[in-house]
Amino acid sequence: KMPEESIDHIDFNVLNQKAISQPLVKHIYTADPSAHVFDGKIYIYPSHDVDAGIPFDDLGSHFAMEDYHIFSMDSIDSEAVDNGVALHVQDVPWAERQMWAPDAARKDSKYYLYFPAKKADGIFQIGVAISDSPTGPFKAEPQPIAGSYSIDPAVFEDLDGSHYIYFGGIWGGQLQKYRDNQYDISNEEPLPNEPALCPIVAKLSDDMKQFAEAPKQLKIVDENGHLLLAGDNDRRFFEASWMHYYNSKYYFSYSTGDTHFICYATGDNPYGPFTYQGRILNPVVGWTSHHSICEIDGKWYLFYHDSSLSEGVTHLRSIKVTELTYDAEGRIQTINPYKD
Ligand code: FUB
């Protein structure tokens, strides 16, 4: 990891020559890319990073995003086209600030944008906004999804057409304040030798606007079937849920936050349990790491971000893409974002 304090020592010209890919978008800062293919075209749903002048803190207050832009690409090698503002926080009745990592889904020719934002009371919830077009503009529902909390929604369509939403993030994402879906200000992260907090999963209702069931924990276990521990910072879930399906297996991937890895675990159904498998992406420049995985024309791609364009400003990130490969057993090959 290249920590914040050593950024002064990075030669960004050299770093950018070593980078395995360049930013897809350079005219604005973008992060947390959720990629999908709809009708043969690639759509990326990222956060839109801005510098609001808010000082850095462990709660991520400096991530003060206000709107979403959606990018479309005709093919993986073509330009990422900015389709303008798709949704602004001012047009979300329940939300006040911090439009963090979104995702999108399609059902019956309607498009659904899922996004976390803080209410006036400082508590994150997750909302949904609807459009007839994959690029918006999206119209937000008047209320957040009932029973939703924390951050980083990711929506997965299972083989039978049902949709599942995955969410949660600790520290600034507030997941540590919840147990059994209930908020308590006095709750904190478990002790290092206790099981780590789990990401959360719920099936979505047929109309895509609500949870169809009470959210459940998605268990991530080690090779012996034991839940990962809270002190296992190199492997435990922090934020940035993503689900994909490959070769008859479900792959749940996520960021380890303070150790800056994108890791994955596999299971045999959308609820898990999931068994930890390894690292997908080694640390990037910038504190956060957040990704999506998408099959495009028979190849698999990792969409991710780093702070190379802003020369290390952790809340001014740029989305990137690189190919992802599996070995014969379905293990994902670890990607180094910068060549040695
Ligand atoms: O972009 C704001 C937050 O940073 C996201 O919600 C997290 O996953 C991290 O990338």
Side-chain angles (χ1 to χ4, degrees), residues 29-34 45-49 65 101-102 288 290 305 317-319:
Y29 290 108
T30 53
D32 312 320
S34 294
Y45 298 83
S47 302
H48 173 198
D49 282 356
M65 299 85 104
T288 68
H290 191 129
H305 68 224
R317 302 160 291 180
S318 301
I319 57 171

Side-chain angles (χ1 to χ4, degrees), residues 31-32 47 49 60 63 65 99-102 116 151-152 239-241 255 287-290 305 317:
D32 312 320
S47 302
D49 282 356
F63 293 97
M65 299 85 104
M99 303 282 265
W100 283 15
I151 59 163
D152 288 3
E239 63 187 2
S241 293
S255 167
W287 198 94
T288 68
S289 198
H290 191 129
H305 68 224
R317 302 160 291 180

Side-chain angles (χ1 to χ4, degrees), residues 6 136 159 186 255:
S6 72
L159 304 178
S186 64
S255 167

